[in-house]
Amino acid sequence: MNTRTVAANEPIEHAGNKVLPVVFNILDKWSCSQNQQMALLGLSSRSTLNKYRASPESAKVSKDLLERMSYILNIHKCLRILFTHEDSVYQWVQKPNSHPFFAGRSAMEVMGQGKVADLYEVATRLNAWRGGRS
């Protein structure tokens, strides 16, 4: 499989459009504000966010957006493995964390800075904490 295709030889651009509603559902369950959603997805305007929400099939899914969605899905998967209680799965990202990396900040405060590297850092820690279980 080359980097331009995904399962069933579907172009990456179209796969991202199908994943976008799933990502929005996760962001809603994480109780993300519009500003947080924009930061996590790397979007610079509310109108673009609202357009993507209303019509995900017409969204311009860049490599950056695809990478960000991948980290969000990975974080969600890790949380589902780490926690059995639904509230914990969806509320963890907004709660302050005493781990030295977070230094009292929530994962959302870290990720909400808008850098892909912040999503990576949170995802990497969660992957380590889950011990690679799937």
Side-chain angles (χ1 to χ4, degrees):
M1 178 166 77
N2 69 38
T3 58
R4 299 286 302 153
T5 61
V6 292
N9 293 326
E10 182 174 5
I12 266 182
E13 294 82 10
H14 300 296
N17 294 89
K18 291 182 179 181
V19 172
L20 203 48
V22 175
V23 170
F24 281 129
N25 186 47
I26 291 168
L27 297 180
D28 289 343
K29 289 185 176 188
W30 284 355
S31 300
C32 294
S33 68
Q34 279 193 326
N35 285 341
Q36 289 170 331
Q37 291 176 44
M38 289 168 49
L40 293 175
L41 298 175
L43 303 176
S44 57
S45 74
R46 287 185 198 276
S47 60
T48 301
L49 176 69
N50 292 330
K51 181 177 132 186
Y52 285 11
R53 276 186 158 279
S55 186
E57 68 282 354
S58 67
K60 290 185 172 92
V61 179
S62 65
K63 288 181 182 179
D64 178 73
L65 179 54
L66 199 59
E67 182 178 10
R68 290 168 180 274
M69 290 191 303
S70 176
Y71 284 127
I72 291 166
L73 292 170
N74 183 273
I75 290 165
H76 176 68
K77 176 185 176 181
C78 288
L79 292 171
R80 294 206 53 90
I81 291 168
L82 288 167
F83 300 111
T84 55
H85 196 273
E86 284 289 300
D87 287 346
S88 297
V89 171
Y90 294 113
Q91 293 174 6
W92 182 86
V93 296
Q94 298 285 358
K95 291 186 176 186
N97 193 310
S98 61
H99 183 275
F101 169 77
F102 293 101
R105 300 173 297 168
S106 70
M108 187 57 63
E109 287 176 90
V110 172
M111 298 184 299
Q113 296 176 77
K115 296 181 288 194
V116 174
D118 296 326
L119 290 164
Y120 167 81
E121 291 293 339
V122 172
T124 299
R125 277 161 181 77
L126 286 169
N127 276 321
W129 293 341
R130 74 178 180 91
R133 292 176 287 155
S134 55

